[in-house]
């Protein structure tokens, strides 16, 4: 079904797109930092015991 | 789609917030004092904590403190818009919506408590959760608009970080962190009432019953002096209990003397102009005083750790 007109939806302004990009980057960095943090907590809290568990 | 519809959707859906706006929701300046006092509590505690776990604990306490700031700004957006000091905060300035701030604050509160609990222990995590609850609910929602004693009782939230830091290492409470708690607790009223005296017009417009608006300027000046008279000798208790040394004594006696001078200057200021100057001096000076006390504890702790490493010993 074509009407010959593409739905426009909402077009972001340049400023909105830029601020969204900055927010996305910040969220990405925060998630990466959390992964590293959880990894570090696991390793440093459990130490070598992390490998010692019954199969 | 009509232009009106697009405009409405733009109004409601599109955020222009920058990461810096979300950072501002965490009240970074308050957070720096929280980090510093929590660090001192953590380092003074007996027993060892792995540096990475210790740093994680401080991070969690900082983020928890930030979460209470965000929840505070969520609840107070309308009052903030009425006061010059706070009108440019992210929500009243229109850069962040209230819903965003609420979601942000709740997420950070949950994650900070869970991370602290998993990394250290659940006593520390419970204390952090209590601190966030006390600041966001007891102080912001219940006390702030109801009683002139708002910051006296609410000050407990700001005083808890060294206790949380201590508990992160030991998993329990002791006299030392409770003394540090009491020092910050007693420090809060003279510090904030000095600001409230200068900004009483702002607080009046916003309908917040700060002491100068309720009890009057004269009574507030007297209360500042009375609290300072209790705080200064109490701040010397760490010396009596033996967990502070000569550097702390200098900060406690020297800084305490200055605090008394500033409190008397407020009491006796003859003109509104002189009163404003005395209040600003107390407001800024009291931050330095508290910082000096905790920095002295930190310095003595570092000296105690480094002394055995130096050739010939020291201290």
């Amino acid at each position: 079904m074509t009407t010959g007109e593409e739905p426009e939806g909402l077009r972001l302004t340049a400023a909105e797109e830029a601020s969204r990009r900055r927010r996305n980057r910040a969220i990405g960095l925060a998630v990466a930092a959390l992964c590293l943090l959880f990894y570090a907590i696991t390793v440093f809290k459990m130490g070598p015991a992390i490998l010692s568990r019954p199969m | 789609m009509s232009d009106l519809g697009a405009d409405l959707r733009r109004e409601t859906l599109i955020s222009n917030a920058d990461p810096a706006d979300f950072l501002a929701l965490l009240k970074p300046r308050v957070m720096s004092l929280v980090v510093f006092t929590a660090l001192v509590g953590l380092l003074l505690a007996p027993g060892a904590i792995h540096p990475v776990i210790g740093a994680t604990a401080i991070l969690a306490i900082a983020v928890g403190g930030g979460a209470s700031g965000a929840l505070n700004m969520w609840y107070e957006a309308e009052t903030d818009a009425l006061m010059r000091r706070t009108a440019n905060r992210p929500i009243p300035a229109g850069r962040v919506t209230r819903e965003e701030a609420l979601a942000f604050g709740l997420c950070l509160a949950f994650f900070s408590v869970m991370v602290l609990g998993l990394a250290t222990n659940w006593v520390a995590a419970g204390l952090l959760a209590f601190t966030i609850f006390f600041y966001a609910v007891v102080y912001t929602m219940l006390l702030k608009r109801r009683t002139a004693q708002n910051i006296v009782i609410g000050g407990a939230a700001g005083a808890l970080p060294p206790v949380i830091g201590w508990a992160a290492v030991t998993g329990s409470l002791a006299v030392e962190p409770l003394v540090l708690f009491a020092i910050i607790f007693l420090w809060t009223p003279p510090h904030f009432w000095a600001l409230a005296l200068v900004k009483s017009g702002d607080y009046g417009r916003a309908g917040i019953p700060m002491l100068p608006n309720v009890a009057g300027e004269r009574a507030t000046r007297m209360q500042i002096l009375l609290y300072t008279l209790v705080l200064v000798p109490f701040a010397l208790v760490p010396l009596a209990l033996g967990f502070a040394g000569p550097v702390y004594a200098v900060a406690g006696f020297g800084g305490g003397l200055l605090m008394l001078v500033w409190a008397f200057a407020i009491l006796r200021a003859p003109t509104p102009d002189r009163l404003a100057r005395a209040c600003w001096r107390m407001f800024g000076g009291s931050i330095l005083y508290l910082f000096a006390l905790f920095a002295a504890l930190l310095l003595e702790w570092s000296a105690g750790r480094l002394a055995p490493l130096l050739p010939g010993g020291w201290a």
Side-chain angles (χ1 to χ4, degrees):
Chain A
M1 188 178 79
T2 54
T3 59
E5 231 180 85
E6 285 295 314
E8 276 196 12
L10 187 64
R11 292 244 175 94
L12 298 188
T13 64
E16 284 165 348
E17 272 190 17
S19 70
R20 184 173 66 178
R21 205 173 307 121
R22 284 193 292 273
R23 286 199 302 276
N24 287 347
R25 255 186 228 141
I27 293 170
L29 283 175
V31 170
L34 265 183
C35 292
L36 278 175
L37 183 71
F38 288 150
Y39 177 77
I41 293 173
T42 311
V43 170
F44 288 106
K45 199 164 167 60
M46 302 181 82
I50 197 171
L51 297 173
S52 153
R53 66 187 186 103
M55 291 300 284
Chain B
M1 178 179 291
S2 73
D3 283 352
L4 179 63
D7 283 348
L8 272 178
R9 292 214 316 148
R10 185 169 294 283
E11 284 280 319
T12 51
L13 290 179
I14 305 303
S15 171
N16 263 326
D18 254 3
D21 294 319
F22 284 95
L23 203 65
L25 286 177
L26 306 180
K27 299 193 179 181
R29 270 190 297 179
V30 177
M31 200 196 247
S32 60
L33 207 59
V34 166
V35 166
F36 186 57
T37 55
L39 178 70
V40 172
L42 183 128
L43 292 177
L44 289 185
I49 186 168
H50 191 286
V52 171
I53 302 297
T56 305
I58 296 296
L59 178 73
I61 297 169
V63 172
S68 23
L71 293 172
N72 170 277
M73 287 200 208
W74 157 71
Y75 191 77
E76 303 218 302
E78 280 153 29
T79 356
D80 280 350
L82 300 174
M83 308 207 315
R84 232 176 306 160
R85 189 171 71 88
T86 52
N88 199 31
R89 283 179 173 176
I91 306 176
R95 298 190 298 272
V96 173
T97 64
R98 286 188 70 175
E99 291 74 18
E100 284 172 325
L102 175 64
F104 187 59
L106 287 176
C107 276
L108 291 189
F110 177 77
F111 269 96
S112 59
V113 170
M114 294 311 284
V115 166
L116 187 62
L118 292 169
T120 62
N121 59 71
W122 295 100
V123 174
L127 282 167
L128 181 62
F130 176 75
T131 306
I132 299 171
F133 172 80
F134 199 85
Y135 187 78
V137 177
V138 178
Y139 168 69
T140 304
M141 297 182 190
L142 300 177
L143 296 172
K144 192 165 180 181
R145 286 147 201 262
R146 287 210 172 86
T147 163
Q149 295 298 312
N150 47 16
I151 53 126
V152 178
I153 310 166
L160 275 166
V163 185
I164 307 173
W166 181 286
V169 180
T170 63
S172 62
L173 297 181
V175 176
E176 292 92 332
L178 292 177
V179 168
L180 299 182
F181 167 88
I183 291 173
I184 306 178
F185 185 75
L186 290 170
W187 166 91
T188 309
H191 171 71
F192 272 110
W193 283 336
L195 178 74
L197 271 177
V198 190
K199 298 278 177 187
S200 61
D202 253 9
Y203 283 115
R205 260 192 304 284
I208 300 172
M210 293 300 279
L211 194 64
N213 304 77
V214 175
E217 189 189 288
R218 186 87 215 140
T220 308
R221 295 187 197 205
M222 184 53 81
Q223 288 288 320
I224 288 178
L225 178 65
L226 290 176
Y227 268 92
T228 310
L229 282 172
V230 178
L231 165 68
V232 169
F234 189 85
L236 302 175
V237 168
L239 289 168
L241 289 179
F243 68 95
V247 182
Y248 186 89
V250 172
F253 281 105
L257 197 67
L258 282 172
M259 284 288 286
L260 289 171
V261 170
W262 296 328
F264 270 109
I266 289 177
L267 184 73
R268 302 175 62 169
T271 61
D273 195 39
R274 295 268 291 273
L275 175 64
R277 251 183 299 162
C279 285
W280 282 122
R281 208 176 307 131
M282 169 60 103
F283 182 72
S286 56
I287 296 177
L288 285 179
Y289 170 65
L290 192 70
F291 179 79
L293 292 179
F294 279 78
L297 289 172
L298 194 62
L299 203 70
E300 286 172 350
W301 176 87
S302 317
R305 286 295 175 107
L306 290 175
L309 305 176
L310 295 174
W314 184 73

